[in-house]
Amino acid sequence: MDKQMQLIFAAAIQQRRLLRVEFTTRSGEERSRRCVPLDLAPSERAKIKFYKYHMWDLDSEPRPHFLSLSPEQVIQLEITTEPFIPEQIVTWTRKNPWTIIRDWGSLS
């Protein structure tokens, strides 16, 4: 797992900034999306618990949805200047559900 990408991802969470994510789909297509970074953690639904980048994909059609990418799928992460408000995205959280520490008020 690329340490630099992990640091960029964590910084975007802590700064409450959107990411520009370039990645490869499972079918091999390259895509670029604006995403809210949520966490870097094993997928709860997966049988094999590998760490994945979990994000809210704002550019997906027909509407935004959850996006989980393995580190091998991520080509590039770039922090944008565009902020996000966690309370507008995270509506499902339990107390302290995150792997990456952050100051998101009651969502932390």
Side-chain angles (χ1 to χ4, degrees):
M1 186 173 282
D2 186 307
K3 189 71 166 175
Q4 185 64 28
M5 282 201 212
Q6 290 177 37
L7 293 172
I8 291 168
F9 193 82
I13 287 172
Q14 291 158 356
Q15 296 171 20
R16 300 179 190 197
R17 300 275 183 217
L18 295 183
L19 284 170
R20 170 63 54 194
V21 181
E22 291 183 35
F23 64 97
T24 305
T25 65
R26 290 183 188 156
S27 63
E29 298 175 55
E30 287 189 13
R31 300 244 168 96
S32 180
R33 296 277 199 269
R34 283 177 321 122
C35 295
V36 174
L38 297 173
D39 210 10
L40 178 60
S43 179
E44 290 183 11
R45 290 189 238 164
K47 292 178 185 174
I48 301 172
K49 302 292 184 187
F50 291 115
Y51 275 74
K52 291 189 173 190
Y53 292 96
H54 301 287
M55 298 169 271
W56 189 250
D57 181 350
L58 297 171
D59 294 339
S60 62
E61 294 293 333
R63 64 184 191 275
H65 72 272
F66 195 67
L67 177 66
S68 290
L69 298 173
S70 68
E72 296 78 28
Q73 289 179 271
V74 179
I75 299 166
Q76 182 175 351
L77 296 174
E78 179 185 341
I79 299 175
T80 72
T81 59
E82 193 175 351
F84 67 88
I85 299 169
E87 294 82 4
Q88 291 179 345
I89 305 297
V90 180
T91 59
W92 62 87
T93 189
R94 306 177 303 276
K95 186 174 175 100
N96 298 321
W98 311 114
T99 301
I100 296 177
I101 297 169
R102 82 251 352 253
D103 181 12
W104 283 8
S106 64
L107 298 174
S108 294

